[in-house]
């Protein structure tokens, strides 16, 4: 079992058994490591300790919802986050495909793609000269399927597998703090005007915080369009960087997630443990 697999298995166990408050020894036993080695491994790959991750899991979700009836941008400023690494938009730059570029179907675009391990399972990453155009959770068996979808979206582009090229994206996400990055990460996406507006709104949700579908709808200027917001979030082509995992129901319930509710809960707890 790889280190990433052990951390992913431990996170899944903590999510499933959070109400039991398992000890370090109990979680370490699940991945067949001593408590000492497990603590070091988990902290190295997840960027936080198992105890802190469990604490983040057990907090009431409702308390983490940005419940004040003001916009997310205003909330960020009120919390003193306008110059902080926690404000996601500061280190993710979103560029939308223009109508002309859409018609060209990717002509002249070189796309490198790769498969990489993370504490949350393998991710597929596709990278263009303009930025990241796809990032999603996969397994080895679905790599060809993801590449085929990419080719369908960009039929005139030049696609090639290049794990060394896309590794830099993972290094930036998991092995460096946002403030240590040399510049913002760029994403290059195609979508309707409304989808782009929703994805931009998601960038204003600070890491470790949550927002409701209603709040995201209000941030796009369409406060009654929460159902349409949900559809746009489900179509998000770039996981993690466009943080659709930070959106929950107004009641505090997790809501849907393209890659499963368990993974969504793990991502929320991981961010809270790292950034609080």
């Amino acid at each position: 079992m790889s280190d990433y697999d052990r951390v992913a298995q431990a996170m899944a166990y903590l999510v499933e058994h959070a109400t039991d408050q398992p000890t370090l020894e109990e979680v370490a036993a699940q991945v067949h490591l001593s408590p000492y080695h497990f603590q070091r491994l988990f902290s190295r790959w997840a960027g936080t300790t198992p105890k802190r991750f469990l604490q983040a899991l057990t907090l009431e979700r409702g308390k983490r919802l940005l419940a004040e009836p003001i916009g997310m941008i205003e909330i960020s400023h009120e919390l003193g986050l306008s110059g902080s690494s926690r404000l996601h938009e500061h280190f993710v730059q979103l560029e939308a495909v223009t109508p002309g570029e859409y018609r060209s179907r990717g002509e002249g675009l070189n796309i490198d793609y790769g498969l990489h391990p993370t504490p949350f399972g393998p991710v597929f990453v596709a990278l263009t000269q303009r930025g990241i155009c796809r990032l999603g959770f996969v397994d080895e068996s679905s790599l060809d399927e993801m590449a085929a979808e990419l080719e369908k979206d960009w039929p005139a582009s030049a696609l090639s597998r290049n794990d060394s090229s896309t590794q830099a994206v993972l290094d930036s996400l998991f092995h460096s703090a946002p403030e240590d990055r040399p510049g913002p990460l760029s994403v290059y996406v195609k979508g309707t005007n409304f989808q782009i507006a929703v994805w931009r709104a998601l960038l204003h949700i600070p890491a470790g915080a949550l927002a409701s579908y209603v709040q995201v709808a209000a941030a796009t200027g369409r406060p009654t369009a929460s159902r349409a917001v949900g559809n746009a979030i489900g179509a998000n082509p770039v996981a993690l960087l466009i943080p659709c995992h930070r959106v929950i129901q107004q009641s505090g319930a997790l809501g849907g997630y393209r890659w499963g509710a368990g993974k969504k809960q793990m991502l929320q707890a991981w961010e809270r443990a790292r950034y609080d």
Side-chain angles (χ1 to χ4, degrees):
M1 185 185 298
S2 71
D3 289 348
Y4 272 118
D5 288 337
R6 283 192 171 92
V7 173
Q9 184 176 325
M11 283 186 170
Y13 180 83
L14 285 166
V15 168
E16 186 176 352
H17 298 276
T19 55
D20 301 327
Q21 294 291 290
T23 65
L24 178 66
E25 289 75 14
E26 288 171 335
V27 184
Q30 294 296 315
V31 293
H32 310 292
L33 290 174
S34 71
Y36 171 77
H37 285 99
F38 170 65
Q39 172 95 355
R40 293 191 63 187
L41 177 72
F42 191 99
S43 298
R44 183 169 76 248
W45 290 115
T48 188
T49 65
K51 180 179 179 180
R52 186 71 190 90
F53 184 80
L54 181 59
Q55 287 172 341
L57 278 172
T58 55
L59 288 173
E60 292 180 35
R61 189 173 297 114
K63 292 180 181 178
R64 291 145 54 199
L65 175 64
L66 302 179
E68 295 299 321
I70 55 177
M72 287 181 291
I73 298 174
E74 288 81 359
I75 290 172
S76 295
H77 286 292
E78 283 196 7
L79 294 175
L81 299 175
S82 58
S84 165
S85 62
R86 289 189 70 214
L87 193 58
H88 200 71
E89 63 165 340
H90 281 193
F91 61 92
V92 177
Q93 178 177 293
L94 186 151
E95 183 178 354
V97 172
T98 66
E101 291 167 339
Y102 185 88
R103 285 193 297 270
S104 75
R105 304 187 306 163
E107 185 176 356
L109 201 64
N110 297 315
I111 303 180
D112 291 338
Y113 67 89
L115 186 71
H116 301 277
T118 78
F120 312 102
V123 295
F124 176 91
V125 183
L127 183 65
T128 75
Q129 309 99 296
R130 305 280 290 277
I132 301 153
C133 64
R134 185 70 61 87
L135 196 158
F137 296 99
V138 296
D139 54 45
E140 189 72 47
S141 63
S142 59
L143 177 62
D144 291 341
E145 180 183 334
M146 291 290 288
E149 288 182 10
L150 197 63
E151 187 172 15
K152 182 179 178 180
D153 284 347
W154 307 91
S157 66
L159 268 65
S160 61
R161 180 162 184 176
N162 188 341
D163 288 20
S164 60
S165 173
T166 54
Q167 179 63 47
V169 176
L170 276 298
D171 290 343
S172 185
L173 273 172
F174 292 101
H175 300 300
S176 64
E179 62 268 22
D180 296 332
R181 295 176 181 134
L185 289 170
S186 296
V187 297
Y188 180 59
V189 292
K190 60 168 66 173
T192 65
N193 289 340
F194 182 71
Q195 287 175 327
I196 297 297
V198 169
W199 299 340
R200 288 192 188 281
L202 298 183
L203 299 181
H204 291 288
I205 307 173
L210 302 174
S212 69
Y213 293 94
V214 171
Q215 287 173 307
V216 176
T220 67
R222 294 177 59 182
T224 62
S226 55
R227 183 179 295 273
V229 163
N231 291 335
I233 288 174
N236 172 23
V238 181
L240 294 174
L241 293 175
I242 299 176
C244 52
H245 59 277
R246 297 178 190 159
V247 184
I248 64 175
Q249 295 177 6
Q250 191 71 26
S251 65
L254 268 178
Y257 190 55
R258 184 174 174 182
W259 295 281
K263 200 175 297 291
K264 184 176 187 177
Q265 190 173 9
M266 281 192 280
L267 289 169
Q268 291 174 2
W270 173 70
E271 285 193 334
R272 186 166 183 85
R274 290 186 83 198
Y275 290 97
D276 265 15

